[in-house]
Amino acid sequence: MTRFLPTALLAVAAALAAWPASAAPQDFAFGMISHAFAGGSGEEPLRRAIAETDADNLAFVVVNGIKSPSEPCDDALYSQRHDILSHAQNGVIMSLAASDWISCRDHEQRSDAIERLARMRELFYTGEFSFGASKLPLLRQSLTAKFRSYAENSRWEVGNVLFATVNLPAGNNHFLLDGGRNNEFEDRLIANRNWLQHLFAFAALKKSAAIVFFTDGNPFGSPPKRSFFRTQRDGFAEMRRTFSDLAGKYRGRVLVVHGETIKNKAPPHILWSGNLGSVGTGERWLKIVVDDHLPQLFAVADADGERR
């Protein structure tokens, strides 16, 4: 296998060298609904956001989380939220949030996170198409035998832009301070690295104008604060380096849309560092316009279409 590696690298390099400067998509817009429920039930905020996005002219909508941390983690609630997504008019892709599984407890108040994560994968990530009336074909990382558990990592295309979800939960990427091996964190880290490498290689060969990632946690946020007793490990450090390294070798734009709420209530806007940008959804759903006339290809827009 290794004797063919230089040839493969030369082929990718040749594709990058031949990348047309005019490669760009047609104009369209997409939305992301945050899981940032104020508390109590997340059903009404979710229904309201779905209705608002249904009324807009969007290529698709990503829903980042379907429940608040205070709501139960039982199958009945999961099924109810599944129905809400299924009845949307736009194509809907679900991005896992920490509130969907990490805080779940069993009857003896022990962590039930791993079992609930597996259950959500069974309920929400089995099909080849998006939720909603407008079906988008999806390709999942679980098609690769080594990563068959990671069906929540999916990709799709609109125009000349590649879109993908990556399971990076808020709350320090589910890195636990408990002693011993962080099995879920470490296994998912390997899967996510592979997923990003695959996506960047695919986008390079397709000469995509951009890659847009949807995550729960903000991989570019401030590292955890040090405590008096110990230093908390930054659970996003490895993925932040992976994003930066791969984006630095990529000819197009790279945008990370995450579910972090802006504390000062300022309107969301994209923060760029070279070709790598990030933006938080905030407390309401976020609309992003893709326009090849824009210098940076992307712009945040309000419900009336005004761009920021």
Side-chain angles (χ1 to χ4, degrees):
M1 290 292 292
T2 53
R3 66 178 182 274
F4 296 107
L5 184 58
T7 303
L9 291 176
L10 287 173
V12 173
L16 289 173
W19 199 314
S22 60
Q26 296 179 347
D27 298 349
F28 62 91
F30 61 89
M32 178 166 170
I33 298 172
S34 175
H35 66 93
F37 308 118
S41 174
E43 180 174 343
E44 285 310 310
L46 180 59
R47 287 187 182 276
R48 184 166 56 251
I50 290 287
E52 290 178 0
T53 53
D54 279 348
D56 210 320
N57 183 25
L58 301 173
F60 62 86
V61 175
V62 172
V63 173
N64 179 219
I66 46 89
K67 63 178 285 295
S68 68
S70 62
E71 290 183 289
C73 299
D74 56 42
D75 285 5
L77 184 139
Y78 289 162
S79 178
Q80 182 184 48
R81 303 297 156 83
H82 185 285
D83 288 344
I84 294 175
L85 302 187
S86 297
H87 286 89
Q89 294 303 305
N90 289 307
V92 171
I93 298 94
M94 181 179 160
S95 172
L96 267 179
S99 58
D100 294 333
W101 60 282
I102 287 179
S103 59
C104 296
R105 299 280 171 179
D106 63 17
H107 295 299
E108 298 181 4
Q109 293 305 303
R110 296 173 300 188
S111 175
D112 202 23
I114 304 305
E115 191 279 333
R116 290 289 84 187
L117 173 59
R119 185 58 175 148
M120 292 206 72
R121 285 167 170 163
E122 292 175 354
L123 292 174
F124 289 92
Y125 299 103
T126 56
E128 298 178 0
F129 294 91
S130 66
F131 292 99
S134 301
K135 301 295 185 184
L136 280 77
L138 306 175
L139 286 175
R140 303 188 186 279
Q141 189 181 18
S142 54
L143 291 175
T144 302
K146 184 178 179 181
F147 303 107
R148 63 171 56 93
S149 297
Y150 296 89
E152 69 273 19
N153 288 346
S154 60
R155 66 170 170 89
W156 63 101
E157 296 175 86
V158 178
N160 197 27
V161 177
L162 178 65
F163 297 90
T165 54
V166 186
N167 186 1
L168 295 173
N172 204 31
N173 202 17
H174 196 220
F175 177 81
L176 304 176
L177 281 174
D178 301 336
R181 181 171 179 257
N182 270 272
N183 297 58
E184 192 283 325
F185 168 84
E186 293 178 8
D187 291 346
R188 181 166 42 81
L189 179 60
I190 294 171
N192 284 341
R193 281 174 174 163
N194 171 272
W195 185 231
L196 263 63
Q197 290 166 356
H198 160 78
L199 292 168
F200 275 93
F202 177 79
L205 291 174
K206 289 274 292 188
K207 302 176 185 177
S208 301
I211 314 174
V212 180
F213 296 92
F214 299 93
T215 68
D216 180 37
N218 178 10
F220 307 105
S222 301
K225 295 181 179 179
R226 295 184 177 184
S227 67
F228 180 78
F229 298 101
R230 62 176 125 178
T231 300
Q232 167 70 292
R233 173 179 169 177
D234 182 357
F236 292 112
E238 293 89 349
M239 292 306 298
R240 182 163 54 249
R241 287 194 296 269
T242 301
F243 272 117
S244 298
D245 291 346
L246 293 173
K249 302 170 186 175
Y250 182 66
R251 294 285 298 275
R253 291 274 167 185
V254 180
L255 178 62
V256 178
V257 186
H258 57 81
E260 184 177 274
T261 302
I262 301 172
K263 295 181 180 179
N264 61 8
K265 307 297 183 181
H269 64 281
I270 301 173
L271 299 175
W272 290 101
S273 176
N275 69 327
L276 177 59
S278 66
V279 60
T281 309
E283 293 186 343
R284 291 191 66 229
W285 69 276
L286 180 72
K287 179 178 179 179
I288 296 181
V289 174
V290 185
D291 187 344
D292 58 345
H293 295 97
L294 293 169
Q296 295 171 326
L297 189 59
F298 300 100
V300 174
D302 60 24
D304 296 325
E306 185 175 347
R307 301 177 184 183
R308 297 190 289 269

